[in-house]
C-alpha cells in the first residue's frame, strides 16, 4: 500500500519530501559503535508512504528486512533559514513512523538508501497526528512491538540532535514545505522481521494533558513472489550486513566477536617472589603502607570472603555491569556476553574484579562461571554485588569475595557491558593489571607500579609487629612499645642483629 489516505491529520500535499535522519539516539549510536558530530540525512520517496493496517513485502530472494520505529515530525508552515529557537513553530504535529529498510540492497545504494528504504509501503505513518501545540517536543515517547512484544522504548529527551536543530539545519539549504515529513531516527532495538510478523509503532506524550497518542501503527510483513529481474542489482548479504540488520552477531545466529582488549589490558603475570610476599602479609598492613603514600581509596568496601580463612593474591581482570535496561540487556545480555567472555578467558593468577555498582540485589556470578574460572586457574573473584549458588561457590577452591548471597539472575538489575577497562568496585578504582589482595579483613587494590616496594615494606612491618606482639604476651605495656619509641626500637634492632 503506497498511499497516505487514512492518516488522520497529515496534509495531502500530493507528494512532499520525506527526510530521514541516520543516527540520533545514543542507544542506537552505541549499538552502531559511532556517535556523529552532526546530523546526516537521506530522502525517501513519497510513494513509500502507507497507513496503518497495511502490509509490507519482503521481496522474493531477500533476507534482511528490518523495522525502525520513529517519531515523525510534520511540517505545518514553510521554513527557510529558521533559527533553532523558532523552529518548532513550523511544526503542525507528530506521528508514528516505521522506517523499514532492506539490508540486502544497501551495497547497491552506496549510501542513498533509495532502493533499500524506498520501496512501496516502506514508510508507514500514523494512524493519527498529535498536534504540536499539545506537547513538549522533548517529552515524547516512541515504542515498537513485534508480535506483541516491546522491542523499542525510548524518549525524545535523549536525542543527540533535538527536533528544532534538525529543522533549522535542514532549512539552511532547502525550504521545508507544509506536509513534509522528517523521520527523526530510531533507538536501539531495531532488528529483522520475517513474513507473518506484525510490527506496531506508537508515539505518545505520557506527561501531556490527556496523554495524546498517535495510536498503534500496524504493519504486517508478507512474502513477495516476484523475483528481481536481470537488469539491476540483486539482493546480496554478508555477515556484516546480517549483524547490522539484526543488531548483533548473536541475534544474527553468528559467533559473537571477541571483545578487543584496550591499552589498559592486564599486565604481565605477577613476579612469584612478590606474590609470595603479598600472600604472607595482611591487607591491614598493606593498606597502611599505601596510606603513607597518599593512597586512601584502595579498599574495596563491603565485600567479604565466601569462606573464612580465605587469602587471595592476583592480577586484576575487570568486568563492568551497567544498570538494567531492557533494550540494553537485549543488545548485550544474551549469548557470549561480556560476563561469559571474561570467565572463559581468565588466566592463571588473575582475579576477576566486577563493578556491580554496590547493587547486591542480584547475583553477579554463580556456580557454573565460578567453576569455569577455577578450572582456568583464576586466583579469585571479587564483586561488589551478590553471588548466586553461594554454598556451592563457597565450597570451591576459588577465593570469592562479595556483598553476600542472592538468588536472583543477572538481568534483574544488571547488563554485562565491557571487560578489561577501569572499574569502580566497592568505591575503589581498579585498573586491569592492578594487584588484588584479599583476606579476612577484605580486599585492596594495589597500583601495579607500587606492588613490589609495598610488599617488601609490609613484610618488614609485619616482622616488627610480630616482635611487638611477643613483648605484649610477655607482659609489656603498649605505651612506647606500639609504635616503637627510640628505646624499644634500639632493643628490637639489637635483637635482630642490626
Amino acid at each position: 500500500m503506497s498511499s497516505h489516505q487514512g492518516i488522520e491529520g497529515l496534509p495531502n500535499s500530493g507528494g512532499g519530501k520525506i527526510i530521514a535522519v541516520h543516527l540520533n539516539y545514543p542507544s542506537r549510536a552505541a549499538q552502531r559503535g559511532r556517535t556523529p558530530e552532526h546530523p546526516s540525512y537521506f530522502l525517501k520517496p513519497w510513494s513509500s508512504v502507507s497507513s496503518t493496517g497495511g502490509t509490507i513485502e519482503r521481496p522474493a530472494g531477500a533476507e534482511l528486512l528490518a523495522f525502525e520505529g520513529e517519531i515523525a515530525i510534520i511540517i505545518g508552515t514553510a521554513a527557510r533559514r529558521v533559527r533553532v529557537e523558532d523552529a518548532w513553530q513550523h511544526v503542525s504535529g507528530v506521528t508514528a513512523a516505521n522506517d523499514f529498510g532492506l539490508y540486502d540492497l544497501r551495497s547497491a545504494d552506496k549510501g542513498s538508501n533509495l532502493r533499500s528504504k524506498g520501496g512501496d509501503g516502506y514508510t508507514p505513518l500514523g494512524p493519527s497526528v498529535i498536534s504540536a501545540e499539545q506537547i513538549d517536543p522533548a517529552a515524547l515517547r516512541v515504542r515498537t512491538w513485534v508480535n506483541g512484544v516491546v522491542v523499542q522504548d525510548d524518549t525524545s529527551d535523549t536525542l543527540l540532535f533535538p527536533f528544532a536543530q534538525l529543522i533549522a539545519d535542514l532549512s539552511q539549504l532547502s525550504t521545508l514545505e507544509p506536509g513534509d515529513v522528517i523521520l527523526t531516527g530510531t533507538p536501539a532495538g531495531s532488528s529483522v522481521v520475517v513474513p507473518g510478523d506484525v510490527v506496531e509503532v506508537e508515539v505518545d506524550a505520557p506527561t501531556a494533558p490527556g496523554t495524546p497518542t498517535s495510536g498503534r501503527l500496524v504493519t504486517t510483513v508478507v512474502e513477495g513472489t516476484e523475483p528481481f529481474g536481470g537488469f539491476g542489482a540483486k539482493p546480496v548479504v554478508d555477515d556484516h550486513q546480517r549483524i547490522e540488520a539484526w543488531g548483533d552477531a548473536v541475534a544474527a545466529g553468528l559467533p559473537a566477536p571477541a571483545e578487543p582488549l584496550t591499552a589498559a589490558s592486564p599486565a604481565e603475570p605477577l613476579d612469584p617472589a612478590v606474590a609470595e610476599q603479598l600472600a604472607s602479609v595482611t591487607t591491614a598492613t598493606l593498606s597502611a603502607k599505601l596510606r603513607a603514600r597518599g593512597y586512601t581509596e584502595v579498599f574495596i568496601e563491603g565485600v567479604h570472603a565466601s569462606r573464612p580463612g580465605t587469602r587471595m593474591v592476583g592480577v586484576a581482570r575487570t568486568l563492568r555491569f551497567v544498570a538494567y535496561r531492557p533494550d540494553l540487556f537485549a543488545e548485550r545480555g544474551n549469548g557470549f556476553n561480556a560476563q561469559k567472555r571474561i570467565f572463559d578467558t581468565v588466566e592463571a593468577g588473575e582475579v576477576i574484579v566486577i563493578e556491580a555498582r554496590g547493587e547486591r540485589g542480584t547475583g553477579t556470578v554463580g556456580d557454573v562461571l565460578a567453576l569455569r574460572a577455577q578450572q582456568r586457574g583464576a586466583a579469585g573473584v571479587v564483586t561488589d554485588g551478590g553471588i548466586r549458588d553461594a554454598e556451592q561457590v563457597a565450597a570451591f577452591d576459588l577465593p570469592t569475595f562479595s556483598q553476600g548471597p542472592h538468588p536472583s539472575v543477572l538481568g534483574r538489575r544488571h547488563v554485562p557491558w565491557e571487560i578489561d577497562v577501569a572499574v569502580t568496585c566497592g568505591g575503589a578504582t581498579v585498573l586491569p593489571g592492578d594487584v588484588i589482595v584479599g583476606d579476612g579483613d577484605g580486599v585492596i587494590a594495589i597500583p601495579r607500579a607500587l606492588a613490589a616496594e609495598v610488599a617488601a615494606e609490609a613484610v618488614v612491618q609485619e616482622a616488627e609487629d610480630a616482635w611487638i606482639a611477643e613483648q605484649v604476651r610477655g607482659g609489656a605495656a603498649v605505651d612506647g612499645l606500639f609504635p616503637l619509641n627510640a628505646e624499644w626500637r634500639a632493643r628490637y634492632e639489637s635483637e635482630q642483629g642490626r
Side-chain angles (χ1 to χ4, degrees):
M1 180 176 180
S2 57
S3 167
H4 63 273
Q5 292 178 0
I7 305 175
E8 181 184 336
L10 182 65
N12 188 346
S13 67
K17 298 187 287 295
I18 303 172
I19 304 169
V21 179
H22 283 108
L23 284 175
N24 201 12
Y25 284 84
S27 61
R28 179 69 161 173
Q31 189 179 39
R32 289 297 200 214
R34 62 184 187 276
T35 300
E37 183 178 356
H38 304 290
S40 61
Y41 314 93
F42 59 94
L43 289 169
K44 299 189 75 171
W46 195 261
S47 57
S48 69
V49 171
S50 61
S51 58
T52 190
T55 60
I56 181 171
E57 178 182 292
R58 188 185 73 175
E63 173 187 336
L64 302 176
L65 175 66
F67 64 86
E68 295 182 6
E70 306 198 13
I71 300 169
I73 295 172
I74 302 166
I75 299 299
T77 59
R80 176 71 163 122
R81 295 196 177 100
V82 300
R83 302 183 306 169
V84 171
E85 53 267 37
D86 299 328
W88 188 249
Q89 69 186 30
H90 293 273
V91 176
S92 62
V94 300
T95 193
N98 201 333
D99 181 19
F100 280 105
L102 195 64
Y103 281 72
D104 309 60
L105 295 177
R106 289 177 84 189
S107 61
D109 276 354
K110 305 300 182 186
S112 75
N113 288 330
L114 179 59
R115 297 178 77 218
S116 62
K117 283 180 172 282
D120 288 352
Y122 275 48
T123 315
L125 297 173
S128 297
V129 174
I130 304 170
S131 171
E133 297 178 353
Q134 294 180 263
I135 55 173
D136 174 357
L140 295 173
R141 175 174 62 174
V142 58
R143 290 176 294 173
T144 305
W145 295 259
V146 175
N147 301 325
V149 177
V150 175
V151 291
Q152 291 183 297
D153 188 343
D154 215 325
T155 52
S156 58
D157 62 340
T158 70
L159 293 175
L160 297 171
F161 313 112
F163 300 147
Q165 180 181 348
L166 300 177
I167 295 166
D169 184 28
L170 289 165
S171 75
Q172 292 183 98
L173 293 172
S174 301
T175 300
L176 298 175
E177 299 170 322
D180 285 352
V181 175
I182 302 173
L183 307 184
T184 59
T186 195
S190 164
S191 193
V192 171
V193 284
V194 299
D197 285 344
V198 177
V199 188
E200 300 171 86
V201 184
E202 181 181 9
V203 170
D204 64 354
T207 61
T211 60
T213 175
S214 68
R216 295 276 185 105
L217 172 65
V218 182
T219 307
T220 301
V221 182
V222 298
E223 182 71 85
T225 57
E226 292 292 327
F228 281 84
F231 34 77
K234 291 183 173 62
V236 175
V237 297
D238 55 23
D239 285 350
H240 172 72
Q241 293 298 346
R242 290 187 176 97
I243 291 170
E244 290 265 297
W246 282 96
D248 61 44
V250 174
L254 300 169
E259 185 168 310
L261 299 181
T262 67
S265 310
E268 293 297 316
L270 191 60
D271 185 316
V274 174
E276 183 177 354
Q277 288 180 318
L278 291 170
S280 71
V281 298
T282 66
T283 56
T285 303
L286 292 167
S287 179
K289 294 303 175 184
L290 288 165
R291 186 172 64 250
R293 291 169 166 79
Y295 290 84
T296 59
E297 302 297 327
V298 294
F299 190 79
I300 297 178
E301 299 284 349
V303 303
H304 309 283
S306 298
R307 185 177 61 250
T310 298
R311 292 195 62 83
M312 174 180 69
V313 177
V315 175
R317 292 285 303 280
T318 60
L319 166 64
R320 185 167 76 94
F321 292 129
V322 298
Y324 177 80
R325 223 175 72 177
D327 57 332
L328 300 182
F329 195 86
E331 175 186 342
R332 296 209 186 193
N334 299 308
F336 195 49
N337 60 33
Q339 181 196 38
K340 292 178 181 177
R341 284 201 299 276
I342 197 165
F343 278 87
D344 219 23
T345 60
V346 64
E347 299 291 345
E350 294 177 341
V351 175
I352 298 173
V353 180
I354 301 173
E355 175 185 337
R357 308 177 316 285
E359 172 55 68
R360 62 176 299 173
T362 191
T364 56
V365 58
D367 57 349
V368 173
L369 291 181
L371 181 60
R372 179 59 173 157
Q374 176 179 288
Q375 289 178 325
R376 291 189 60 81
V381 176
V382 183
T383 172
D384 63 352
I387 285 186
R388 296 183 71 217
D389 312 306
E391 291 183 356
Q392 296 93 315
V393 173
F396 294 162
D397 293 331
L398 178 75
T400 53
F401 290 76
S402 72
Q403 290 218 50
H406 201 283
S408 293
V409 295
L410 187 68
R412 181 169 184 258
R413 298 285 172 82
H414 302 300
V415 179
W417 198 251
E418 56 189 341
I419 66 174
D420 295 318
V421 295
V423 298
T424 301
C425 182
T429 297
V430 179
L431 302 182
D434 280 351
V435 177
I436 307 299
V437 182
D439 62 14
D441 282 349
V443 180
I444 62 170
I446 305 173
R448 184 59 176 267
L450 299 178
E453 65 185 70
V454 167
E457 288 183 16
V459 168
V460 171
Q461 182 65 59
E462 293 213 345
E464 182 176 301
D465 290 347
W467 185 85
I468 292 171
E470 185 180 341
Q471 308 314 305
V472 173
R473 279 191 292 268
V478 295
D479 185 30
L481 173 63
F482 184 65
L484 297 173
N485 62 17
E487 180 182 349
W488 276 108
R489 181 162 294 283
R491 179 176 170 181
Y492 169 70
E493 291 182 354
S494 174
E495 290 190 16
Q496 302 306 309
R498 296 178 182 172

